[in-house]
């Protein structure tokens, strides 16, 4: 069975048969006939808008296609599908980012666009099979965004996350507030389940962007996910799309350890759970370029007396 994102990509190619050639034209004009943009952005949203509208007025019913084509057309070049171990996925998705973790860490996405599978998850009551994640740079405002495209059973739903000189938490709050302003149901209240779902999806991305993520490929043991590089041809340097999806397994060891911990939980001594959390710190001169380093520390069962367990629970 073909991965779902590949099915979506094939459908987009039929709807917009000239899109791939237009992408090459836009990218070859980067910093020349068109304004420049950061390398972490594959192609600004304005270009996708032009492709869908064919340079004319945009029919209202085609507006959602801009977000869809932007994600699919970008994903086409690397076709990374990230499959989390089920225990790792559950634990990481429940670890809400907090503190001073900056939005800039999301610039470390290993590919221009990736697809994360989310089995057993829901979005507004609909099955959420997975989601695309890519970075957008607004040419006019000179501002970045994280753009998610949610792959539910019935639709591909865009969800933008504002990025800027603020924390991940504030960026998510801004996105939730904007969704409410546009009339989206049940998103305005940060205590609602849908808000928790947004945090969960971002946490999965944060793990992939962390300092030491556990990402493996069975067919390419020494490979790591990365953006494709141009190849020299008779026509000059060209960027080619991936020939097929690449499946990346994420958090296998974390998941295995968590499964063992749960299996061995019922020992003679009462265990307690040391909560999962993100551990981060800044490095570099205060007045110069600084970098935020962070790791995911999974939940750990610690054996001890009932008194110790109670003390740990009170501290948590």
């Amino acid at each position: 069975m073909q991965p779902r994102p590949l099915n979506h990509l094939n459908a987009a190619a039929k709807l917009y048969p000239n899109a791939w050639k237009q992408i090459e034209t836009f990218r070859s004009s980067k910093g020349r006939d068109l304004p420049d943009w950061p390398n972490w952005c594959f192609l600004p949203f304005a270009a996708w808008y032009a492709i869908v509208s064919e340079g004319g007025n945009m029919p209202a019913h085609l507006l959602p296609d801009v977000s869809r084509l932007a994600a699919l057309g970008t994903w086409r070049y690397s076709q990374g599908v990230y499959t989390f171990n089920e225990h790792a996925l559950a634990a990481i998705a429940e670890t809400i980012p907090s503190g001073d973790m900056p939005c800039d860490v999301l610039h470390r996405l290993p590919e221009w666009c990736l697809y994360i599978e989310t089995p057993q998850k829901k979005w507004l009551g609909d099955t959420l099979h997975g989601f695309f994640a890519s970075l957008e740079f607004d040419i006019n405002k000179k501002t970045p965004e994280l753009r998610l495209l949610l792959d539910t059973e019935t639709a591909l739903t865009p969800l933008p996350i504002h990025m800027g000189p603020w924390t991940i938490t504030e960026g998510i709050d801004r996105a939730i507030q904007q969704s409410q302003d546009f009339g989206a149901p049940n998103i305005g209240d940060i205590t609602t389940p849908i808000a928790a779902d947004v945090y969960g999806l971002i946490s999965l991305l944060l793990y992939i962007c962390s300092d030491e993520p556990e990402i493996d490929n069975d067919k390419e043991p020494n490979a790591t996910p990365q953006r494709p590089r141009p190849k020299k041809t008779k026509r000059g340097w060209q960027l080619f799309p991936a020939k097929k999806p690449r499946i990346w397994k994420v958090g296998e060891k974390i998941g295995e350890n968590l499964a063992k911990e749960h299996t061995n939980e019922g020992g003679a001594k009462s265990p307690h759970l040391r909560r999962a959390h993100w551990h981060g710190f800044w490095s570099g001169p205060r007045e110069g370029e600084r970098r935020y380093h962070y790791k995911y520390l999974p939940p750990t069962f610690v054996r001890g007396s009932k008194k110790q367990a109670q003390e740990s629970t009170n501290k948590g």
Side-chain angles (χ1 to χ4, degrees), residues 25-37 43-44 47 139:
T25 300
F26 278 120
R27 278 189 54 84
S28 65
S29 300
K30 179 179 184 290
R32 297 176 181 175
D33 299 329
L34 295 176
D36 204 355
W37 60 84
L43 192 64
I139 288 290

Side-chain angles (χ1 to χ4, degrees), residues 92-102 105 167-170 172 196 198-204 206 277-278 294:
I92 294 171
E94 291 175 359
T95 308
I96 294 178
S98 60
D100 62 350
M101 185 180 293
V105 300
T167 65
I168 291 287
T169 303
E170 185 177 349
I172 296 173
V198 175
Y199 278 109
L201 301 184
I202 298 300
S203 287
L204 297 177
L206 287 175
H277 61 280
W278 301 100
Y294 71 101

Side-chain angles (χ1 to χ4, degrees), residues 28-66:
S28 65
S29 300
K30 179 179 184 290
R32 297 176 181 175
D33 299 329
L34 295 176
D36 204 355
W37 60 84
N39 290 330
W40 44 255
C41 173
F42 175 74
L43 192 64
F45 212 61
W48 299 106
Y49 187 99
I51 292 173
V52 173
S53 67
E54 296 182 341
N57 295 325
M58 175 70 77
H61 71 280
L62 290 183
L63 275 172
D65 277 12
V66 180

Side-chain angles (χ1 to χ4, degrees), residues 94-156:
E94 291 175 359
T95 308
I96 294 178
S98 60
D100 62 350
M101 185 180 293
C103 285
D104 284 354
V105 300
L106 292 169
H107 286 159
R108 305 172 195 174
L109 285 176
E111 301 173 349
W112 279 309
C113 182
L114 48 82
Y115 181 91
I116 296 178
E117 293 182 336
T118 55
Q120 311 304 321
K121 287 199 169 293
K122 298 283 185 178
W123 182 265
L124 292 177
D126 201 359
T127 299
L128 180 64
H129 295 281
F131 65 97
F132 297 88
S134 57
L135 296 174
E136 149 69 356
F137 181 74
D138 189 312
I139 288 290
N140 296 317
K141 297 180 180 179
K142 309 299 181 185
T143 56
E145 279 186 349
L146 170 70
R147 300 197 67 91
L148 306 183
L149 186 68
L150 310 181
D151 179 16
T152 68
E153 184 68 26
T154 57
L156 289 173

Side-chain angles (χ1 to χ4, degrees), residues 55-264:
N57 295 325
M58 175 70 77
H61 71 280
L62 290 183
L63 275 172
D65 277 12
V66 180
S67 294
R68 295 166 188 153
L69 187 63
L72 293 166
T74 304
W75 180 80
R76 173 174 173 257
Y77 282 84
S78 54
Q79 299 188 32
V81 178
Y82 293 71
T83 304
F84 277 75
N85 172 280
E86 61 176 321
H87 300 290
L89 185 145
I92 294 171
E94 291 175 359
T95 308
I96 294 178
S98 60
D100 62 350
M101 185 180 293
C103 285
D104 284 354
V105 300
L106 292 169
H107 286 159
R108 305 172 195 174
L109 285 176
E111 301 173 349
W112 279 309
C113 182
L114 48 82
Y115 181 91
I116 296 178
E117 293 182 336
T118 55
Q120 311 304 321
K121 287 199 169 293
K122 298 283 185 178
W123 182 265
L124 292 177
D126 201 359
T127 299
L128 180 64
H129 295 281
F131 65 97
F132 297 88
S134 57
L135 296 174
E136 149 69 356
F137 181 74
D138 189 312
I139 288 290
N140 296 317
K141 297 180 180 179
K142 309 299 181 185
T143 56
E145 279 186 349
L146 170 70
R147 300 197 67 91
L148 306 183
L149 186 68
L150 310 181
D151 179 16
T152 68
E153 184 68 26
T154 57
L156 289 173
T157 304
L159 178 65
I161 308 291
H162 295 280
M163 298 174 65
W166 46 73
T167 65
I168 291 287
T169 303
E170 185 177 349
I172 296 173
D173 290 349
R174 286 168 177 258
I176 291 170
Q177 184 59 54
Q178 185 184 52
S179 297
Q180 183 187 37
D181 293 342
F182 280 99
N186 302 323
I187 299 184
D189 184 356
I190 198 64
T191 64
T192 59
I194 193 171
D197 289 341
V198 175
Y199 278 109
L201 301 184
I202 298 300
S203 287
L204 297 177
L205 282 177
L206 287 175
Y207 178 77
I208 290 174
C209 294
S210 63
D211 286 3
E212 298 179 4
E214 183 193 339
I215 304 176
D216 301 293
N217 187 307
D218 289 343
K219 296 182 179 180
E220 305 170 77
N222 298 319
T224 56
Q226 57 186 320
R227 298 171 193 157
R229 297 178 180 178
K231 296 181 179 179
K232 193 172 184 178
T233 70
K234 294 180 179 179
R235 296 170 54 192
W237 291 92
Q238 286 188 283
L239 191 65
F240 294 95
K243 295 181 180 179
K244 60 181 180 180
R246 300 176 77 186
I247 310 300
W248 300 100
K249 291 188 175 181
V250 186
E252 285 296 310
K253 291 181 181 178
I254 291 175
E256 290 172 5
N257 290 337
L258 286 173
K260 289 178 182 178
E261 292 280 10
H262 282 282
T263 301
N264 299 327

